[in-house]
Amino acid sequence: MTYLAVAIFVNDPESALAAVALAAGRGAEMVEFRIDQFTADPRKLAALIRRSPLPCIVTCRPVWEGGLYDGDETHRLATLRAAAEAQPAYIDLELKAYLRDPDALNNFTGGLILSSHDFRGRPADLFQSVEAMVHADACRVVKVAWTARSLRDNVQAFELLEAGHKPTIALCMGEAGLPSRVLAKKFGALLTFASAGDSDTTSGGITSGGTAPGQVSIDTLKKLYRWDALRPDTRVFGVIGQPVAHSMSPAIHNAGFDAAGFNGVYLPLPIPPEYEHFKATVTTWLDYKPLDFRGASVTIPHKENLLRFTAEHDKRNEIEPLAKTIGAANTLTVRDDGSLYASNTDYAAALDSVCDAMKLKRDQLRDLRIGVIGAGGAARAVVAGFAHVGAAVTVFNRTPARAEQLATEFSPFVAAASLDAIADSVCDVLINCTPIGMHPNVDASPVSHWPKQLPGVVFDTIYNPVETLLLRQAAARGCVTIGGAEMFVRQAAAQFRLWTGLPAPADLFSRILVERLE
Ligand code: NAP
């Protein structure tokens, strides 16, 4: 069993007991009493340990190990010995303190946790420390925690858990360490720490509460990251990008896995922009087979990196031809034989959104005149998709050279024009692929002068807000409108199908997206 543990700083035992009750109510299964600043009568501490409704760890962390206790070491150890008399389930003692005095807590017959923490990064002597803990007779539990320098550090934490010489706690702190906190259960850790506070759904669930950077709330672990469903064979997915903390994708895909009964979990996976970071991280995650890393949504700035990596990594890998033409892939699928498939679900999502709104089949799109505003990454996918089906596309862009570049690449289906030319355009469908009108600049619209001959359909790829000013202007003129949420849900649904082989619960995806945006 992997316990969900909550750390509580103890000043006054009565408030600490109330905090344990609250944590237990929220699903905590163990509590760590942090007595770094506890100065009251030691008998009150003993009473607290005995009355705790959850099994407890007692910790008095000194400042030299990142804690708050800055008093005398002899007094600290005497306090821990007094706590030991009350028989808590565990006492946490720093490896350094233990090595100085291995008999310091020899009155304790419960589980002695030997621990090592580094808030600056991965300690150079990580494996030596673990070795020392494993060989210390008194040590029942090995605990290491360090600040992740990158996602790769999580794999070292998993390796330590897998080695399993003794019950182990191996956690990485900081945003990049989130996988170690969530997947502690997959790898059979003794526990993971979570906060008992409210979940913060706007930042990937990472709260400002808790006792270490990167800690998430119990609520977030359970509701967002599927804690109760995690098993050793759970498949791991995620969204690779920078930044990814505010991505909607974990909420959508994890809810989808839940609804479909699929044994998977989906995490935010931040990777710095450079190709070398992408390559090193994805290689490490793929090569560590016990992780079951089976796929990812890939967003800015890594869509080109995914194509390059897939082409370089393994001869068996495959790239969807149109993703190659677009020059960007947003989906990584790891197939059963370990080879990779890189594809782009954005363009198909755009095509299908228009088909649905106009009640057309894909091959009927060739008869349409499409106006695309913008010539960046999203526009490129949309233009490539419509050019591929043979529609006549005009790209309206602020920087004419970028529009002309697209026109040249996708000749003869694409023409280039200035933004002003929208006023004289004749399109069946007008698609905004710029960020104009996106939150927080919701009072802006990319169309200042509407053409005399209105487009039948106006499609804004922006999904935050759900209804942009452009869509309101279009609806007021009688145009059919399509919001970016629809495209977002469709591209996510296609990813879900690729990874699970199951139909995607697209209505659920829409509901979650809209709920989170409103
Ligand atoms: P991008 O690569 O940065 O391209 C932005 C484009 O917008 C460029 O062509 C740029 O013109 C133009 N632009 C930006 N600010 C402008 C302004 N103030 N006035 C005139 N033109 C301006 O961005 P992207 O990745 O293509 O993303 C664009 C939008 O697509 C995003 O905001 C997002 O909302 C949406 N999107 C939606 C989905 C979905 O699933 N619904 C998926 C992807 C993207 P220049 O060439 O002159 O710089």
Side-chain angles (χ1 to χ4, degrees), residues 5 24 63 71 97 116 133 138 144 160 164 208 264 311 340 401 482 500 506:
V63 282
S116 169
M133 294 173 195
V144 282
L160 292 172
S208 49
L340 309 182
I482 307 171
T500 66

Side-chain angles (χ1 to χ4, degrees), residues 299-300 303 330 345-346 349-350 373-382 395-403 406 419 432-439 444-446 459-464 483-492 513:
T299 184
I300 292 168
K303 291 185 179 186
N330 73 336
T345 62
D346 280 336
I373 313 174
R380 207 180 152 75
V382 169
V395 178
F396 303 96
N397 197 45
R398 177 178 62 182
T399 309
R402 289 185 84 188
L406 279 180
L419 274 183
N432 176 38
C433 293
T434 74
I436 304 170
M438 189 164 81
H439 180 80
S445 164
F459 176 1
D460 200 337
T461 61
I462 292 172
Y463 58 82
N464 186 9
E486 171 142 2
M487 176 173 164
F488 185 82
V489 165
R490 283 178 187 272
Q491 63 78 30
L513 183 66

Side-chain angles (χ1 to χ4, degrees), residues 301-319:
H302 289 300
K303 291 185 179 186
E304 293 82 10
N305 288 340
L306 173 59
L307 278 189
R308 180 173 163 193
F309 179 76
T310 308
E312 286 176 2
H313 183 254
D314 183 332
K315 281 200 193 70
R316 298 169 307 160
N317 292 350
E318 204 186 323
I319 297 173

